[in-house]
Amino acid sequence: MQEVASDLQIPRPRRRRQSPTERWLRRGAVLLVLSGGCAVLLFQLSHTLQNLGLFAGATVPLDLQVLPEAIVDSQYLPRPELARGEQLVALEAAMHKLTQQPRLRSGFLFFDPATGAYAQMAADESFSAASVIKVPVLVELMRQVDGGSVRLDEVLTLKAAHKGGGSGWLQYRPNGTRMSVLAVATLMIIRSDNTATNMIIDRLGGAAYLNEQFRRWGLRRTVINAPLPDLEGTNTTSPGDLALLMSELDRGELTSPQGRTVAYGLMGRTRIGSLLPMGLGPGARILHKTGDIGKMVGDVGVVTTPDGRRYLATALVERPHNDRRANQLIAKLSQAFYHVFANTHRLGTVPRKT
């Protein structure tokens, strides 16, 4: 019996042949399941990367896509720096000698963006900013105009909280006075109107927000601590910060070309003709912004020589109350650099005496 059983072959049920349509439907179902699993994995992975700061959506502004220091070596984090080249030692020494005056504390940085050549003194030290703080405020205004969050034809309303003494006539206008953003910014730069500046700062998001933006640009000493006019000099900056700011603006790294044109247009109409302009030769042009309070005077700008070459200039001097030697010193520093720059084909090469 066993032997018979061992020889028996139990027939297997024959499988029905699938039609081509059924085979493709089956394969599609398998692919659908697999793709669904991959989608879930990709979603979980992207969510994890977003939490770590390694992935940013296309709607996030580029300058907000900052990698956290916890997961990135600090040496690879963006650290904006002025692209300095040759240090003009002899010229710098002559300029240092000009600053050796009792009770004046001076800092300056003159920089040729074409070659990187520069002369400096106390460039990274903090100084009272006075009205030169209005330059980084202007740059942030142009950035927000570029981004569409502010319009130049937008109307601002003067409030009592905006009013500050010192420079400008907007402080004497009644509360509720309405002016366009461009008109207020024009007063801020051309007339150095402190009330106008407070209106712009308020519209841009306040001092704390602006200070955060300044840090993003690499400005280490530029801080708004008080509304304008800040006669105590608590708002701060440095020659290096101002030179870096003007360099970034000049290279188009902070604003669009249109925004830079508006900013330069306003700085080119500054009404103050002393300080840096006093040291320039015939045919030279400058766009700049000055600052002047009892304890400090300063100037920052871009100088263009008659042959079209340009350099960045910034000088800050803290002084006894309203000491005019500080004003004269900035004019002398400007003259010393301009003379060498304008009479040298390539900065760093001393021209021959004739």
Side-chain angles (χ1 to χ4, degrees), residues 118-169:
Y118 70 96
Q120 69 173 15
M121 176 179 181
D124 296 322
E125 294 183 14
S126 180
F127 288 78
S128 295
S131 286
V132 294
I133 199 71
K134 296 167 184 175
V135 177
V137 173
L138 175 65
V139 172
E140 176 58 19
L141 171 62
M142 292 301 104
R143 281 170 51 84
Q144 293 198 23
V145 169
D146 287 340
S149 59
V150 176
R151 301 191 323 274
L152 290 176
D153 62 354
E154 177 183 334
V155 175
L156 301 182
T157 301
L158 176 63
K159 302 176 182 178
H162 295 144
K163 292 186 175 180
S167 300
W169 52 262

Short mmCIF file of all heavy atoms in Angstrom, two decimals, residues 118-169:
data_model
loop_
_atom_site.label_atom_id
_atom_site.label_comp_id
_atom_site.label_asym_id
_atom_site.label_seq_id
_atom_site.Cartn_x
_atom_site.Cartn_y
_atom_site.Cartn_z
N TYR A 118 44.70 99.73 0.94
CA TYR A 118 44.00 100.47 2.00
C TYR A 118 44.97 101.10 2.98
O TYR A 118 46.15 100.74 3.09
CB TYR A 118 43.07 99.52 2.76
CG TYR A 118 43.81 98.50 3.62
CD1 TYR A 118 44.02 98.71 4.99
CD2 TYR A 118 44.31 97.32 3.06
CE1 TYR A 118 44.69 97.79 5.77
CE2 TYR A 118 45.00 96.40 3.83
CZ TYR A 118 45.19 96.63 5.19
OH TYR A 118 45.87 95.71 5.94
N ALA A 119 44.42 102.08 3.72
CA ALA A 119 45.11 102.69 4.86
C ALA A 119 44.08 102.77 5.98
O ALA A 119 42.93 103.13 5.75
CB ALA A 119 45.65 104.07 4.52
N GLN A 120 44.51 102.44 7.20
CA GLN A 120 43.54 102.38 8.29
C GLN A 120 44.15 102.78 9.63
O GLN A 120 45.36 102.80 9.80
CB GLN A 120 42.98 100.97 8.42
CG GLN A 120 44.00 99.96 8.92
CD GLN A 120 43.40 98.59 9.21
OE1 GLN A 120 42.29 98.29 8.79
NE2 GLN A 120 44.12 97.75 9.93
N MET A 121 43.25 103.05 10.57
CA MET A 121 43.64 103.28 11.95
C MET A 121 42.41 102.98 12.81
O MET A 121 41.31 103.48 12.53
CB MET A 121 44.08 104.73 12.18
CG MET A 121 44.39 105.05 13.63
SD MET A 121 44.95 106.77 13.83
CE MET A 121 45.24 106.80 15.60
N ALA A 122 42.58 102.14 13.80
CA ALA A 122 41.50 101.77 14.73
C ALA A 122 40.22 101.39 13.97
O ALA A 122 39.12 101.72 14.39
CB ALA A 122 41.22 102.92 15.70
N ALA A 123 40.39 100.69 12.86
CA ALA A 123 39.26 100.43 11.97
C ALA A 123 38.20 99.54 12.61
O ALA A 123 37.02 99.64 12.25
CB ALA A 123 39.75 99.79 10.68
N ASP A 124 38.60 98.68 13.53
CA ASP A 124 37.64 97.75 14.13
C ASP A 124 37.19 98.17 15.52
O ASP A 124 36.50 97.41 16.21
CB ASP A 124 38.24 96.34 14.18
CG ASP A 124 38.51 95.79 12.78
OD1 ASP A 124 37.68 96.04 11.90
OD2 ASP A 124 39.55 95.13 12.59
N GLU A 125 37.57 99.37 15.94
CA GLU A 125 37.14 99.86 17.24
C GLU A 125 35.79 100.56 17.15
O GLU A 125 35.42 101.13 16.12
CB GLU A 125 38.19 100.83 17.81
CG GLU A 125 39.52 100.16 18.13
CD GLU A 125 40.51 101.13 18.76
OE1 GLU A 125 40.09 102.24 19.19
OE2 GLU A 125 41.71 100.79 18.83
N SER A 126 35.05 100.52 18.25
CA SER A 126 33.71 101.11 18.29
C SER A 126 33.79 102.61 18.57
O SER A 126 34.55 103.05 19.45
CB SER A 126 32.89 100.41 19.37
OG SER A 126 31.59 100.95 19.44
N PHE A 127 33.01 103.38 17.81
CA PHE A 127 32.91 104.83 17.98
C PHE A 127 31.44 105.21 18.06
O PHE A 127 30.57 104.49 17.54
CB PHE A 127 33.54 105.57 16.80
CG PHE A 127 35.04 105.52 16.73
CD1 PHE A 127 35.69 104.39 16.26
CD2 PHE A 127 35.81 106.60 17.13
CE1 PHE A 127 37.07 104.33 16.19
CE2 PHE A 127 37.19 106.57 17.06
CZ PHE A 127 37.82 105.42 16.59
N SER A 128 31.16 106.35 18.67
CA SER A 128 29.81 106.90 18.58
C SER A 128 29.49 107.14 17.11
O SER A 128 30.33 107.60 16.34
CB SER A 128 29.70 108.20 19.37
OG SER A 128 29.89 107.95 20.75
N ALA A 129 28.25 106.84 16.72
CA ALA A 129 27.91 106.89 15.30
C ALA A 129 27.32 108.21 14.86
O ALA A 129 27.50 108.62 13.71
CB ALA A 129 26.92 105.77 14.97
N ALA A 130 26.59 108.91 15.75
CA ALA A 130 25.86 110.12 15.36
C ALA A 130 25.04 109.82 14.10
O ALA A 130 24.46 108.75 13.98
CB ALA A 130 26.82 111.29 15.17
N SER A 131 25.01 110.73 13.15
CA SER A 131 24.12 110.57 12.00
C SER A 131 24.65 109.65 10.91
O SER A 131 23.92 109.36 9.95
CB SER A 131 23.79 111.94 11.39
OG SER A 131 22.88 112.63 12.21
N VAL A 132 25.87 109.15 11.03
CA VAL A 132 26.31 108.17 10.02
C VAL A 132 25.54 106.86 10.18
O VAL A 132 25.54 106.03 9.27
CB VAL A 132 27.84 107.92 10.07
CG1 VAL A 132 28.60 109.18 9.67
CG2 VAL A 132 28.27 107.41 11.42
N ILE A 133 24.86 106.67 11.30
CA ILE A 133 24.02 105.49 11.48
C ILE A 133 22.89 105.47 10.46
O ILE A 133 22.29 104.42 10.18
CB ILE A 133 23.45 105.44 12.92
CG1 ILE A 133 22.98 104.02 13.29
CG2 ILE A 133 22.31 106.43 13.09
CD1 ILE A 133 24.07 103.03 13.48
N LYS A 134 22.62 106.62 9.85
CA LYS A 134 21.53 106.71 8.87
C LYS A 134 21.87 105.99 7.57
O LYS A 134 20.97 105.65 6.79
CB LYS A 134 21.20 108.18 8.60
CG LYS A 134 20.65 108.88 9.84
CD LYS A 134 20.60 110.39 9.73
CE LYS A 134 20.13 111.02 11.04
NZ LYS A 134 20.17 112.48 11.05
N VAL A 135 23.14 105.72 7.32
CA VAL A 135 23.53 105.01 6.09
C VAL A 135 23.06 103.55 6.14
O VAL A 135 22.39 103.09 5.21
CB VAL A 135 25.03 105.13 5.83
CG1 VAL A 135 25.41 104.32 4.58
CG2 VAL A 135 25.43 106.59 5.65
N PRO A 136 23.38 102.77 7.18
CA PRO A 136 22.84 101.40 7.21
C PRO A 136 21.32 101.37 7.27
O PRO A 136 20.71 100.44 6.74
CB PRO A 136 23.48 100.78 8.46
CG PRO A 136 24.01 101.91 9.25
CD PRO A 136 24.34 102.99 8.28
N VAL A 137 20.70 102.37 7.90
CA VAL A 137 19.23 102.44 7.89
C VAL A 137 18.73 102.61 6.45
O VAL A 137 17.77 101.95 6.03
CB VAL A 137 18.73 103.59 8.79
CG1 VAL A 137 17.22 103.78 8.64
CG2 VAL A 137 19.08 103.33 10.25
N LEU A 138 19.38 103.47 5.69
CA LEU A 138 19.01 103.69 4.30
C LEU A 138 19.16 102.40 3.49
O LEU A 138 18.31 102.07 2.65
CB LEU A 138 19.87 104.79 3.69
CG LEU A 138 19.69 105.06 2.20
CD1 LEU A 138 18.29 105.58 1.89
CD2 LEU A 138 20.75 106.05 1.70
N VAL A 139 20.24 101.67 3.72
CA VAL A 139 20.47 100.43 2.98
C VAL A 139 19.36 99.42 3.26
O VAL A 139 18.84 98.77 2.35
CB VAL A 139 21.85 99.84 3.33
CG1 VAL A 139 22.02 98.45 2.71
CG2 VAL A 139 22.96 100.76 2.83
N GLU A 140 18.97 99.27 4.53
CA GLU A 140 17.89 98.34 4.86
C GLU A 140 16.57 98.80 4.25
O GLU A 140 15.76 97.97 3.82
CB GLU A 140 17.75 98.18 6.37
CG GLU A 140 16.59 97.30 6.81
CD GLU A 140 16.63 95.88 6.25
OE1 GLU A 140 17.71 95.41 5.80
OE2 GLU A 140 15.56 95.22 6.24
N LEU A 141 16.35 100.10 4.18
CA LEU A 141 15.15 100.60 3.51
C LEU A 141 15.13 100.14 2.06
O LEU A 141 14.11 99.64 1.55
CB LEU A 141 15.09 102.13 3.59
CG LEU A 141 13.99 102.78 2.74
CD1 LEU A 141 12.61 102.34 3.20
CD2 LEU A 141 14.12 104.31 2.79
N MET A 142 16.25 100.27 1.36
CA MET A 142 16.31 99.87 -0.04
C MET A 142 16.13 98.36 -0.18
O MET A 142 15.52 97.88 -1.14
CB MET A 142 17.64 100.30 -0.66
CG MET A 142 17.81 101.80 -0.82
SD MET A 142 16.52 102.55 -1.86
CE MET A 142 15.49 103.34 -0.62
N ARG A 143 16.63 97.60 0.77
CA ARG A 143 16.44 96.14 0.74
C ARG A 143 14.96 95.79 0.86
O ARG A 143 14.46 94.89 0.16
CB ARG A 143 17.22 95.49 1.88
CG ARG A 143 18.71 95.33 1.61
CD ARG A 143 19.47 94.88 2.85
NE ARG A 143 18.87 93.74 3.49
CZ ARG A 143 19.10 92.47 3.13
NH1 ARG A 143 19.90 92.20 2.12
NH2 ARG A 143 18.54 91.47 3.78
N GLN A 144 14.25 96.47 1.75
CA GLN A 144 12.84 96.16 1.92
C GLN A 144 12.01 96.64 0.73
O GLN A 144 11.00 96.02 0.38
CB GLN A 144 12.32 96.74 3.24
CG GLN A 144 12.94 96.07 4.46
CD GLN A 144 12.15 96.31 5.74
OE1 GLN A 144 10.96 96.60 5.71
NE2 GLN A 144 12.83 96.17 6.88
N VAL A 145 12.44 97.72 0.11
CA VAL A 145 11.78 98.15 -1.12
C VAL A 145 12.00 97.10 -2.21
O VAL A 145 11.07 96.73 -2.94
CB VAL A 145 12.31 99.53 -1.58
CG1 VAL A 145 11.82 99.86 -2.98
CG2 VAL A 145 11.86 100.62 -0.60
N ASP A 146 13.23 96.60 -2.32
CA ASP A 146 13.51 95.53 -3.28
C ASP A 146 12.62 94.32 -3.04
O ASP A 146 12.14 93.68 -3.98
CB ASP A 146 14.98 95.09 -3.19
CG ASP A 146 15.93 96.11 -3.78
OD1 ASP A 146 15.49 96.94 -4.58
OD2 ASP A 146 17.13 96.07 -3.43
N GLY A 147 12.41 93.97 -1.75
CA GLY A 147 11.62 92.80 -1.40
C GLY A 147 10.12 93.00 -1.51
O GLY A 147 9.37 92.03 -1.40
N GLY A 148 9.68 94.25 -1.69
CA GLY A 148 8.26 94.51 -1.86
C GLY A 148 7.50 94.76 -0.58
O GLY A 148 6.28 95.00 -0.63
N SER A 149 8.17 94.70 0.58
CA SER A 149 7.47 94.93 1.84
C SER A 149 7.28 96.41 2.14
O SER A 149 6.47 96.78 2.99
CB SER A 149 8.21 94.26 3.00
OG SER A 149 9.53 94.77 3.12
N VAL A 150 8.02 97.27 1.46
CA VAL A 150 7.89 98.72 1.59
C VAL A 150 7.88 99.30 0.17
O VAL A 150 8.60 98.82 -0.70
CB VAL A 150 9.05 99.33 2.40
CG1 VAL A 150 8.94 100.85 2.45
CG2 VAL A 150 9.06 98.77 3.83
N ARG A 151 7.08 100.34 -0.04
CA ARG A 151 7.06 101.05 -1.32
C ARG A 151 7.54 102.49 -1.11
O ARG A 151 7.23 103.10 -0.09
CB ARG A 151 5.66 101.08 -1.92
CG ARG A 151 5.03 99.74 -2.19
CD ARG A 151 3.77 99.90 -3.03
NE ARG A 151 3.00 101.08 -2.69
CZ ARG A 151 2.08 101.13 -1.71
NH1 ARG A 151 1.85 100.06 -0.97
NH2 ARG A 151 1.41 102.25 -1.47
N LEU A 152 8.27 103.01 -2.08
CA LEU A 152 8.75 104.38 -1.96
C LEU A 152 7.60 105.39 -1.99
O LEU A 152 7.73 106.49 -1.44
CB LEU A 152 9.75 104.69 -3.08
CG LEU A 152 11.11 103.98 -2.97
CD1 LEU A 152 11.97 104.30 -4.18
CD2 LEU A 152 11.83 104.36 -1.68
N ASP A 153 6.50 105.03 -2.62
CA ASP A 153 5.36 105.95 -2.66
C ASP A 153 4.36 105.70 -1.53
O ASP A 153 3.32 106.34 -1.46
CB ASP A 153 4.64 105.86 -4.01
CG ASP A 153 4.06 104.47 -4.28
OD1 ASP A 153 4.31 103.55 -3.47
OD2 ASP A 153 3.36 104.31 -5.29
N GLU A 154 4.70 104.77 -0.65
CA GLU A 154 3.86 104.50 0.53
C GLU A 154 3.83 105.73 1.44
O GLU A 154 4.84 106.43 1.58
CB GLU A 154 4.43 103.29 1.26
CG GLU A 154 3.74 102.90 2.54
CD GLU A 154 4.44 101.75 3.22
OE1 GLU A 154 5.11 100.96 2.52
OE2 GLU A 154 4.35 101.65 4.45
N VAL A 155 2.70 105.99 2.07
CA VAL A 155 2.55 107.17 2.91
C VAL A 155 2.80 106.83 4.38
O VAL A 155 2.23 105.86 4.91
CB VAL A 155 1.14 107.79 2.75
CG1 VAL A 155 0.96 108.95 3.72
CG2 VAL A 155 0.94 108.26 1.31
N LEU A 156 3.68 107.60 5.01
CA LEU A 156 3.94 107.47 6.44
C LEU A 156 3.28 108.62 7.19
O LEU A 156 3.17 109.73 6.65
CB LEU A 156 5.45 107.48 6.71
CG LEU A 156 6.28 106.38 6.05
CD1 LEU A 156 7.74 106.51 6.46
CD2 LEU A 156 5.75 105.00 6.40
N THR A 157 2.89 108.35 8.43
CA THR A 157 2.24 109.37 9.26
C THR A 157 3.12 109.72 10.44
O THR A 157 3.57 108.84 11.18
CB THR A 157 0.87 108.85 9.76
OG1 THR A 157 0.05 108.52 8.64
CG2 THR A 157 0.17 109.91 10.60
N LEU A 158 3.38 111.00 10.61
CA LEU A 158 4.21 111.48 11.71
C LEU A 158 3.48 111.33 13.04
O LEU A 158 2.32 111.74 13.18
CB LEU A 158 4.58 112.95 11.47
CG LEU A 158 5.36 113.66 12.58
CD1 LEU A 158 6.72 113.01 12.79
CD2 LEU A 158 5.52 115.15 12.25
N LYS A 159 4.17 110.74 14.02
CA LYS A 159 3.61 110.58 15.36
C LYS A 159 4.49 111.31 16.37
O LYS A 159 5.66 111.58 16.11
CB LYS A 159 3.53 109.09 15.72
CG LYS A 159 2.71 108.25 14.77
CD LYS A 159 2.78 106.79 15.15
CE LYS A 159 2.01 105.91 14.16
NZ LYS A 159 2.12 104.47 14.49
N ALA A 160 3.92 111.58 17.53
CA ALA A 160 4.68 112.26 18.58
C ALA A 160 5.92 111.47 18.97
O ALA A 160 6.97 112.05 19.26
CB ALA A 160 3.78 112.50 19.79
N ALA A 161 5.82 110.13 18.96
CA ALA A 161 6.94 109.28 19.36
C ALA A 161 8.11 109.37 18.39
O ALA A 161 9.24 109.02 18.75
CB ALA A 161 6.48 107.84 19.48
N HIS A 162 7.85 109.83 17.18
CA HIS A 162 8.92 109.94 16.18
C HIS A 162 9.79 111.18 16.38
O HIS A 162 10.92 111.23 15.90
CB HIS A 162 8.33 110.00 14.76
CG HIS A 162 7.60 108.77 14.35
ND1 HIS A 162 6.47 108.80 13.56
CD2 HIS A 162 7.84 107.45 14.62
CE1 HIS A 162 6.05 107.56 13.36
NE2 HIS A 162 6.85 106.74 13.98
N LYS A 163 9.27 112.16 17.05
CA LYS A 163 9.93 113.47 17.06
C LYS A 163 11.20 113.48 17.90
O LYS A 163 11.21 113.03 19.04
CB LYS A 163 8.95 114.55 17.54
CG LYS A 163 7.81 114.78 16.55
CD LYS A 163 6.92 115.94 16.95
CE LYS A 163 5.87 116.21 15.88
NZ LYS A 163 4.99 117.34 16.24
N GLY A 164 12.25 114.01 17.29
CA GLY A 164 13.53 114.15 17.97
C GLY A 164 14.14 115.50 17.65
O GLY A 164 13.89 116.06 16.58
N GLY A 165 14.93 116.02 18.56
CA GLY A 165 15.54 117.33 18.36
C GLY A 165 16.71 117.28 17.41
O GLY A 165 16.91 116.32 16.68
N GLY A 166 17.48 118.35 17.41
CA GLY A 166 18.65 118.41 16.55
C GLY A 166 18.30 118.71 15.12
O GLY A 166 17.40 119.52 14.83
N SER A 167 18.97 118.03 14.19
CA SER A 167 18.84 118.35 12.77
C SER A 167 17.44 118.08 12.24
O SER A 167 16.78 117.14 12.65
CB SER A 167 19.84 117.52 11.95
OG SER A 167 21.16 117.79 12.36
N GLY A 168 17.03 118.94 11.29
CA GLY A 168 15.79 118.69 10.57
C GLY A 168 14.63 119.53 11.04
O GLY A 168 14.56 119.94 12.21
N TRP A 169 13.67 119.73 10.11
CA TRP A 169 12.51 120.55 10.44
C TRP A 169 11.23 119.74 10.63
O TRP A 169 10.20 120.28 11.02
CB TRP A 169 12.26 121.59 9.34
CG TRP A 169 12.18 121.04 7.94
CD1 TRP A 169 13.16 121.01 7.02
CD2 TRP A 169 11.04 120.44 7.31
NE1 TRP A 169 12.73 120.43 5.84
CE2 TRP A 169 11.42 120.07 5.99
CE3 TRP A 169 9.73 120.16 7.72
CZ2 TRP A 169 10.55 119.45 5.10
CZ3 TRP A 169 8.86 119.54 6.83
CH2 TRP A 169 9.28 119.20 5.53
#
